[in-house]
Amino acid sequence: PITLLIPKARGGRAQCAMYLLLALCATALYLTGEPLVPTARSITSHFVALQIGVLLKGTCYLAEEIFHLQSRHHGSFRRALSACFPLRWHALMLLICGSAYVALLDGDGQPLILHLSLTSLCQLLILALGLHKPSAVEISEMSERSKQNVAHGLAWSYYIGYLKIVLPRVKKSMEEFSRANPNVLAYRETWKLHILVPLSCDVYDDLEKADSNIKYLTDLTETTLTRAGTKKRVYKHSLYTIRDEDKKLWHCAVEYATPLQSLYAMSQDECAAFSREDRLEQAKLFYRTLEEILKSSKECVGTYRLIAYEESGEAESHFLSREILWHLQQQHREEYTMYEGNQPHNPNTTLSSTELNLQISQSDLPQPLRSD
């Protein structure tokens, strides 16, 4: 199922694991039975080292940002400083931990400046070796939470610049075509725009060349709008005939999600530095983001069907038509099942005790629910 290929939003399991490991470390530290003062001194020294590392990293970044004050920080040195140093918490932590470390320093024969110099040396080595950089998972999570992925921008652009305009008009176009051709669009539940989302981003300009079981029929009624300075911009959808294995003909409006062409082109251009793995990840995120956007859009309810798929490694000449037919048949079965399940029920005028079983309490007080 395609739902197994689309990643869901990350939950809080990493945070829970962190608290669990924190509790385990605290328990192990308690069980060692070490004296309190040396343990506290070691902990504070580690905290001081971490805060010094943050300050040193900010200093290195500030050395670059001062050359971009006008273009990136509106000429404000304070903005550049706050962008490089998260001073709100780290300065306070450094002050507290530094004071505690000095107070707990028991005179081991080495001056305080030596401790700070060794700590700074270790932190600068970590920065120079690149050990401070976040992992791929951290980068992915930060990008998803801040919605700064390529896929987020493409999905929102696709929705605002196209789907939000055309989808509310799809049903009307289908109705107009059905009145003129009553035998073509037989199933009202398939009167939607079927949007193909291949995770490989391999988009065909001509669906007939992608699958011989797909044939172009005609175009639906055009929508003409004045948009972004263009007079009488035309929006239209193509209607296709899909032939199944029993030679039965199905009809639907279908097209590719055009932003996938941008993802594919980026993976082919060296300047974009966009690998095939990045393309696959962004295609999945594009599908998930677009699905979330459309689900929250009241104007687009019941006007679309997203068809995400991953092509198999083997060459199949009718893979695409089978994928579309599966969705068409599923829509038809779902609509039929709902209709059958919601048949009007005309009860008899006389009801026996087996047809109507009411549990009526003899008391006015609340009674517990019973399943028997």
Side-chain angles (χ1 to χ4, degrees):
I2 196 64
T3 53
L4 299 178
L5 298 175
I6 305 301
K8 296 181 180 179
R10 290 184 174 92
R13 299 178 185 86
Q15 196 80 2
C16 295
M18 180 189 65
Y19 290 131
L20 177 60
L21 292 175
L22 182 62
L24 291 175
C25 289
T27 303
L29 186 62
Y30 174 77
L31 294 177
T32 58
E34 292 292 329
L36 180 60
V37 174
T39 303
R41 185 170 59 249
S42 299
I43 292 176
T44 53
S45 65
H46 286 298
F47 271 111
V48 169
L50 291 174
Q51 303 312 312
I52 289 177
V54 172
L55 292 179
L56 290 174
K57 184 173 69 172
T59 302
C60 295
Y61 284 125
L62 183 62
E64 173 66 30
E65 294 303 306
I66 57 177
F67 293 96
H68 305 276
L69 290 180
Q70 295 295 333
S71 59
R72 294 180 182 270
H73 306 285
H74 306 285
S76 172
F77 181 78
R78 184 179 178 181
R79 282 174 178 254
L81 195 66
S82 61
C84 296
F85 296 96
L87 296 178
R88 181 178 180 183
W89 292 110
H90 288 284
L92 180 62
M93 286 292 295
L94 180 61
L95 178 62
I96 294 174
C97 294
S99 301
Y101 183 69
V102 172
L104 292 170
L105 194 65
D106 58 353
D108 55 357
Q110 295 179 339
L112 179 62
I113 188 65
L114 179 61
H115 288 273
L116 296 178
S117 299
L118 290 174
T119 300
S120 300
L121 177 63
C122 293
Q123 293 296 329
L124 288 172
L125 282 174
I126 290 175
L127 294 174
L129 296 175
L131 302 179
H132 68 290
K133 294 181 179 179
S135 64
V137 171
E138 291 177 289
I139 295 174
S140 175
E141 184 177 13
M142 287 188 293
S143 299
E144 288 187 27
R145 288 186 181 275
S146 60
K147 300 189 184 302
Q148 293 178 347
N149 278 288
V150 174
H152 284 105
L154 290 176
W156 275 103
S157 176
Y158 185 47
Y159 167 71
I160 294 175
Y162 179 66
L163 294 181
K164 191 176 181 180
I165 300 171
V166 301
L167 286 182
R169 298 171 172 83
V170 167
K171 292 275 187 180
K172 183 179 178 181
S173 299
M174 294 282 192
E175 289 176 359
E176 292 176 356
F177 181 83
S178 181
R179 283 195 295 266
N181 305 272
N183 297 324
V184 177
L185 296 176
Y187 307 119
R188 180 178 287 270
E189 60 272 13
T190 61
W191 290 10
K192 303 173 183 179
L193 179 62
H194 296 77
I195 304 171
L196 301 176
V197 186
L199 299 183
S200 64
C201 299
D202 193 5
V203 174
Y204 290 88
D205 291 326
D206 192 345
L207 283 173
E208 294 179 328
K209 293 181 179 179
D211 194 319
S212 59
N213 282 343
I214 303 176
K215 297 296 181 184
Y216 169 78
L217 181 62
T218 186
D219 290 330
L220 295 175
T221 306
E222 297 178 351
T223 299
T224 305
L225 298 173
T226 299
R227 183 79 173 171
T230 302
K231 296 290 186 180
K232 298 180 180 180
R233 177 170 290 183
V234 176
Y235 299 89
K236 66 177 181 179
H237 310 291
S238 297
L239 199 65
Y240 287 89
T241 300
I242 317 293
R243 185 175 70 251
D244 61 17
E245 295 178 354
D246 299 326
K247 307 302 180 182
K248 181 180 178 181
L249 300 181
W250 298 71
H251 300 87
C252 69
V254 60
E255 61 185 48
Y256 282 100
T258 51
L260 296 179
Q261 289 180 314
S262 299
L263 287 177
Y264 187 84
M266 288 175 65
S267 67
Q268 302 298 312
D269 195 324
E270 295 181 358
C271 296
F274 203 69
S275 66
R276 294 179 61 183
E277 291 76 14
D278 294 333
R279 184 183 71 193
L280 178 60
E281 180 183 357
Q282 293 299 311
K284 293 178 179 180
L285 190 57
F286 171 82
Y287 172 82
R288 194 186 81 194
T289 306
L290 184 61
E291 185 180 40
E292 292 173 354
I293 294 172
L294 290 174
K295 281 183 178 179
S296 62
S297 175
K298 296 180 180 180
E299 302 96 333
C300 301
V301 173
T303 61
Y304 68 92
R305 179 85 172 193
L306 294 179
I307 304 178
Y309 60 90
E310 187 177 47
E311 296 183 10
S312 59
E314 300 178 358
E316 299 183 37
S317 57
H318 302 302
F319 173 83
L320 184 57
S321 61
R322 284 202 302 270
E323 193 71 27
I324 299 173
L325 284 169
W326 185 88
H327 283 269
L328 293 175
Q329 292 164 359
Q330 187 185 46
Q331 291 175 82
H332 178 53
R333 285 195 301 267
E334 287 175 354
E335 185 77 11
Y336 181 75
T337 303
M338 290 178 62
Y339 177 77
E340 287 292 323
N342 294 324
Q343 288 290 338
H345 177 62
N346 297 322
N348 297 328
T349 54
T350 59
L351 297 175
S352 64
S353 60
T354 58
E355 292 174 325
L356 182 62
N357 183 14
L358 299 178
Q359 295 181 356
I360 303 176
S361 173
Q362 300 296 328
S363 173
D364 293 334
L365 298 176
Q367 299 294 317
L369 294 174
R370 297 182 55 173
S371 60
D372 55 353

